[in-house]
Amino acid sequence: MIDWPSIERALAQLAAASRPARLLSVTVSLPGRPGFDPAAHDDWCVWQRPETGLRLLGIGTAFVSESAGESRFAALHAAQRGLAATWRYRNGTPSAFVGFAFAPAGGTPLPNARLWVPELLVAESPAGITVTFSCPAGEAALAVLRWQALWRALAKTVTVPPAPTFTDNFNPLADAAFLARGRAALRAIAAGNAEKLVLTRAVRCRADRPIAVAPVLAALADTHATCATFGVGQGGRAFVGASPETLLALDGERVTVDALAGTAWQASVRALGDDKNRREHDFVARAVAEALAAHCRDIVVPAVPEVMQLNALTHLRRRVIARRPADLSAIDLVARLHPTPAVGGVPGPATLDWLTRHGDHRPAWYTGGIGWINAAGDCDIAVALRCGLIEGDTATLYAGAGFVAGSDPEQELAETEAKFSAMREALAAGSPVPAGCKAA
């Protein structure tokens, strides 16, 4: 039961006492997790990291800043700083969501880079469950009526449709094109134009009816407890996934970044600790350490990578720790870290140019980032991996593999197939999904 009169009083006090203000937020406790389906709304976001016990569900938009191009992170940084200076809140520390595409151009059908505060944010943590209502300061007079209507609409029972049946459809031409690009990447590496290039693939799964997003998100969270599960929906589309890789986590001064690269699976002919996987991992660890060393202090890079087990896949991971100065923001650090060699290549600028010229297409926020930043400046942002875009009766899944000297294109193709398993299994929750959907 929400005490709407007390929310109205708190909002009126904020509005009266907090000028100038841009955004007003009121947080209240909830007795339990609401049972509504986020995808029932046209604008939603879900974030969950079981390791920390945090689950966020955002509905609607009270504040948004979008950008694209080479200055996109500078624009988001300015928006975040401006918001932080004029954000007035009561009973908690509210959060904004952030997401961005791999490259300065692209990201369709999502905005290239976006920072937004939801109108309604349910947060579940070990401390309890809360809901934060937010509105522009100029709209405070009618905000509570809007929030009540939104809450009632979301609280209605949502009927999940029967599980769809998926069509098994292959496109060998697309696989051949990936192999051809892989051979071209190896020629570029042999010529000294790059040391590593990450190539991507997409496969398309077609169902006999619209795909319900809630069961997919639930399946990803249930089967990937060591990952950040995410979903963002706009206009009937949903970009969802479960990422094993933290791009940046900030807790006060403490900085945490994952150096994640090197992959093995049951059918792999390569061992996780072989020379190819070790070199691929070392590229990432060095790049992360160098990016942090230019701006942070007390950097700790584990001497030996750990093995991260993810169902059928294993990865090499170093969790790099540092301390940041007070004037270095989350988006400042994101701009310096992204893209790491785990998703781009080595050296960075040259490989990004090569990928663009060779048609490496990355829709939505695949290999970009998605996560949250709170009003205190802390954040948790994951690299958008093991993900897909759901549009009506179609799910397009994305995966990539890193090419270095000695790579075998056929093995890299097999690695992408293994990585598709996370989303395929989530789609298969109660549905007959083919082992291989149609290559896009």
Side-chain angles (χ1 to χ4, degrees), residues 92-169:
T93 305
S95 297
F97 289 114
V98 63
F100 54 88
F102 170 71
T108 304
L110 297 178
N112 181 269
R114 189 177 201 239
L115 173 73
W116 77 104
V117 177
E119 191 169 11
L120 179 158
L121 178 68
V122 178
E124 181 177 348
S125 73
I129 301 175
T130 63
V131 58
T132 299
F133 298 98
S134 299
C135 70
E139 299 177 12
L142 299 176
V144 176
L145 290 176
R146 274 188 49 82
W147 296 339
Q148 287 178 289
L150 178 59
W151 187 263
R152 285 195 300 267
L154 289 169
K156 291 180 180 177
T157 302
V158 176
T159 302
V160 178
T165 298
F166 289 82
T167 302
D168 191 344
N169 214 338

Side-chain angles (χ1 to χ4, degrees), residues 13-22 24 86-90 137:
Q13 291 167 3
L14 281 174
S18 303
R19 293 186 174 89
R22 187 174 191 176
L24 306 177
T86 56
W87 195 350
R88 308 294 181 244
Y89 44 90
R90 179 71 59 88

Side-chain angles (χ1 to χ4, degrees), residues 38-302:
H41 195 275
D42 283 340
D43 187 353
W44 58 270
C45 187
V46 168
W47 170 273
Q48 180 170 324
R49 190 181 287 280
E51 284 181 307
T52 63
L54 180 64
R55 183 178 189 267
L56 299 176
L57 164 61
I59 300 293
T61 302
F63 166 88
V64 64
S65 176
E66 296 178 354
S67 186
E70 297 296 336
S71 63
R72 60 184 179 151
F73 291 129
L76 291 191
H77 167 76
Q80 180 200 3
R81 283 291 171 91
L83 175 62
T86 56
W87 195 350
R88 308 294 181 244
Y89 44 90
R90 179 71 59 88
N91 303 333
T93 305
S95 297
F97 289 114
V98 63
F100 54 88
F102 170 71
T108 304
L110 297 178
N112 181 269
R114 189 177 201 239
L115 173 73
W116 77 104
V117 177
E119 191 169 11
L120 179 158
L121 178 68
V122 178
E124 181 177 348
S125 73
I129 301 175
T130 63
V131 58
T132 299
F133 298 98
S134 299
C135 70
E139 299 177 12
L142 299 176
V144 176
L145 290 176
R146 274 188 49 82
W147 296 339
Q148 287 178 289
L150 178 59
W151 187 263
R152 285 195 300 267
L154 289 169
K156 291 180 180 177
T157 302
V158 176
T159 302
V160 178
T165 298
F166 289 82
T167 302
D168 191 344
N169 214 338
F170 296 93
N171 184 353
L173 293 179
D175 291 354
F178 177 85
L179 294 173
R181 283 193 295 130
R183 290 189 289 269
L186 290 175
R187 289 194 295 270
I189 292 168
N193 298 324
E195 293 183 86
K196 177 182 178 181
L197 289 160
V198 180
L199 306 187
T200 61
R201 289 180 64 215
V203 296
R204 186 169 293 117
C205 301
R206 180 65 60 82
D208 63 348
R209 68 194 69 197
I211 301 168
V213 176
V216 178
L217 286 169
L220 287 170
D222 288 344
T223 57
H224 293 79
T226 58
C227 293
T229 304
F230 59 85
V232 57
Q234 288 187 341
R237 301 183 181 91
F239 179 66
V240 303
S243 174
E245 184 173 356
T246 298
L247 176 65
L248 175 66
L250 296 181
D251 183 3
E253 289 187 338
R254 182 183 173 89
V255 178
T256 303
V257 181
D258 282 346
L260 187 79
T263 304
W265 61 100
Q266 187 173 10
S268 173
V269 299
R270 291 187 182 275
L272 186 61
D274 74 359
D275 179 66
K276 185 264 183 184
N277 277 321
R278 287 279 184 170
R279 284 186 290 119
E280 191 175 350
H281 176 82
D282 287 344
F283 283 138
V284 182
R286 282 198 300 270
V288 168
E290 289 170 3
L292 294 177
H295 308 281
C296 300
R297 66 186 187 279
D298 300 335
I299 299 164
V300 178
V301 182

Side-chain angles (χ1 to χ4, degrees), residues 378-403:
D378 295 337
C379 77
D380 190 351
I381 301 170
V383 182
L385 301 173
R386 313 295 145 81
C387 54
L389 184 66
I390 297 174
E391 302 175 275
D393 63 355
T394 301
T396 306
L397 318 184
Y398 309 110
F403 285 72

